[in-house]
Amino acid sequence: AREAGLSPFWAGVAYFVVNVAAMTARVFWGTVADRGGGTRRARTLREIGTIAAVGAALFGASLHLGTPFVLLAAFVFAFGALGWNGVLYLTAAERSGMEFAARAMGVASTVVFVLSFVATPVVGAIAGRAGWDAVWFGLMGMAAIGALVASRLGTPRQEAGA
């Protein structure tokens, strides 16, 4: 925020916008994933990843364009980047079957948090060496890879031959 020239007040507003987007996204994406009797899970994860990739690119660019652009891009990025976890956990539980659902959610959650823990210093090192533009470009790529992986998932019913 400082490098983009945001005052502490506007940085706080941006943080508020991110949280509103996250709250909205989780309910919205959950509703979308439930459509079609729950057959849209993988498609929804792909859509979320695509929006996160676009949002990361927009956010990186917005840091050079001023506060209104930062606020808009923060919402778009957060709407994708912070809306996927519930759909992922549900997908893991459904694919594992009822007898292993809790374990699958626990493993999925642990993987997410371990990767977040490991990624934090890496992101800091990249920002320190190559700058924040490189971080946002990398996040765009990671979100796009996530969308690609999600596009390769079938529905559990397709996998069972139904």
Side-chain angles (χ1 to χ4, degrees):
R2 274 180 252 165
E3 287 185 25
L6 270 65
S7 70
F9 172 80
W10 287 110
V13 171
Y15 184 69
F16 173 80
V17 167
V18 165
N19 281 287
V20 168
M23 291 182 289
T24 305
R26 289 179 182 125
V27 174
F28 174 82
W29 290 119
T31 301
V32 170
D34 284 342
R35 290 184 185 150
T39 60
R40 287 192 94 262
R41 310 274 198 244
R43 180 177 171 190
T44 302
L45 285 170
R46 184 189 74 227
E47 293 162 352
I48 293 168
T50 301
I51 290 174
V54 170
L58 288 174
F59 193 79
S62 77
L63 295 174
H64 304 284
L65 300 173
T67 302
F69 296 101
V70 169
L71 297 177
L72 177 62
F75 187 90
V76 173
F77 177 66
F79 196 76
L82 301 175
W84 60 272
N85 50 352
V87 178
L88 173 75
Y89 300 149
L90 174 61
T91 301
E94 286 179 337
R95 287 172 183 274
S96 68
M98 286 303 293
E99 81 183 70
F100 299 110
R103 184 180 309 166
M105 287 182 65
V107 169
S109 179
T110 299
V111 169
V112 167
F113 282 94
V114 167
L115 290 174
S116 296
F117 171 78
V118 170
T120 302
V122 173
V123 169
I126 293 169
R129 288 198 88 134
W132 285 103
D133 289 340
V135 169
W136 290 106
F137 183 75
L139 289 173
M140 178 189 69
M142 291 180 72
I145 289 168
L148 181 62
V149 168
S151 73
R152 306 288 295 169
L153 299 173
T155 65
R157 291 181 191 155
Q158 287 173 332
E159 292 169 356

